[in-house]
């Protein structure tokens, strides 16, 4: 069996190193690259009677992106693999929008989607 990439979810707010290390060990076993994925969900504004009650601000987005950048550095450190074997994918947006807009773009993980019905985002 050939595996090109092992992908592991990295929780942006907490994470035990063990999950990343297991994924790293699997990548090493198969000579694969390791991809960490993480995201913060950005909820649409909450509006009541025409008044915006809660909305994500530019400062909120900046803070979330900084947290993901910090998490990327943590992930790369824990992975401990050569940089050419480690990838990072992250996003700050509403999850279904992120998936539907980006899933048809070529990525290292396209092999995982081959032959599947792409019309259903989480199929």
């Amino acid at each position: 069996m050939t595996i090109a990439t092992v992908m592991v979810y990295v929780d942006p707010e907490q994470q035990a190193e063990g999950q990343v290390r297991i994924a790293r060990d699997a990548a090493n076993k198969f000579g694969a690259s390791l991809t960490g994925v993480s995201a913060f969900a950005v909820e649409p504004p909450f509006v009541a009677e025409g008044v915006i009650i809660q909305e994500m601000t530019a400062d909120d987005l900046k803070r979330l992106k900084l947290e993901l950048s910090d998490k990327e550095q943590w992930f790369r450190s824990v992975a401990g693999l050569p940089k050419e074997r480690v990838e990072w994918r992250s996003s700050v947006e509403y999850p279904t929008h992120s998936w539907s807009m980006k899933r048809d773009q070529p990525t290292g993980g396209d092999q995982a989607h081959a032959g599947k019905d792409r019309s259903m985002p989480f199929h």
Side-chain angles (χ1 to χ4, degrees):
M1 174 190 313
T2 301
I3 295 177
T5 301
V6 173
M7 186 176 295
V8 61
Y9 173 73
V10 177
D11 189 318
E13 296 177 324
Q14 62 181 357
Q15 183 81 30
E17 292 181 5
Q19 184 176 347
V20 174
R21 288 188 176 142
I22 289 170
R24 176 202 58 204
D25 292 347
N28 276 334
K29 180 177 181 174
F30 292 100
S33 62
L34 178 64
T35 300
V37 294
S38 189
F40 277 109
V42 175
E43 297 291 332
F46 178 73
V47 180
E49 297 181 21
V51 177
I52 297 175
I53 305 298
Q54 181 178 351
E55 182 176 36
M56 181 72 65
T57 66
D59 286 341
D60 292 335
L61 288 173
K62 190 176 189 178
R63 179 183 51 79
L64 294 177
K65 288 178 181 181
L66 180 61
E67 286 182 36
L68 285 173
S69 178
D70 290 346
K71 188 55 78 163
E72 175 184 6
Q73 297 310 312
W74 174 87
F75 169 75
R76 289 180 181 279
S77 170
V78 173
L81 294 172
K83 67 179 182 176
E84 61 273 1
R85 289 189 51 210
V86 180
E87 286 189 52
W88 176 257
R89 309 273 173 142
S90 63
S91 181
V92 177
E93 58 188 305
Y94 196 66
T96 56
H97 176 74
S98 175
W99 176 260
S100 65
M101 297 303 292
K102 296 179 181 175
R103 67 190 170 109
D104 290 325
Q105 294 177 359
T107 66
D110 276 347
Q111 306 88 331
H113 301 294
K116 289 190 175 184
D117 179 4
R118 291 179 149 215
S119 65
M120 298 297 293
F122 299 103
H123 187 39

